[in-house]
Amino acid sequence: MSSFSITRKKTPFQKHREEEEAKKKRAEDETARLYAEFVESFQGDNAPGSKTFVRGGTINPNDKLKDDSEGEKSKDGVSGPKKGSR
């Protein structure tokens, strides 16, 4: 009688639970891979000249408005798109 093996049929709930566990496992594996990649991105950037920081200008709200070349007012003196232009 040891040659007989009785396999039980899985219920829809058991199938659903196994599918959810498999999805969760795949998501955890993907998250672990992405986290390792993220941490690695900070490890090798110590070489000179590999800086990625770019300093931007500052805006002082107390500065008086300056006239730009087309007569409109701007705080930083740089003109942007004008009304009515395309």
Side-chain angles (χ1 to χ4, degrees):
M1 289 236 164
S2 64
S3 64
F4 272 114
S5 64
I6 299 174
T7 58
R8 296 192 181 250
K9 188 174 181 182
K10 293 182 182 178
T11 65
F13 175 75
Q14 288 172 328
K15 289 179 184 179
H16 177 71
R17 186 174 66 188
E18 287 178 357
E19 289 173 3
E20 291 297 319
E21 289 172 355
K23 282 183 188 178
K24 185 177 179 182
K25 175 79 169 117
R26 284 192 301 268
E28 287 175 353
D29 291 344
E30 178 71 10
T31 302
R33 184 186 66 78
L34 290 173
Y35 180 72
E37 185 179 313
F38 174 75
V39 170
E40 183 180 304
S41 70
F42 290 102
Q43 301 298 325
D45 291 343
N46 293 335
S50 66
K51 294 181 181 179
T52 57
F53 179 78
V54 178
R55 180 174 213 120
T58 56
I59 299 174
N60 186 353
N62 296 327
D63 282 350
K64 298 213 179 224
L65 296 176
K66 299 176 188 173
D67 288 337
D68 65 5
S69 61
E70 293 186 21
E72 291 192 23
K73 306 281 185 185
S74 68
K75 283 189 177 184
D76 58 0
V78 178
S79 65
K82 306 301 178 203
K83 291 182 180 178
S85 65
R86 290 190 178 206

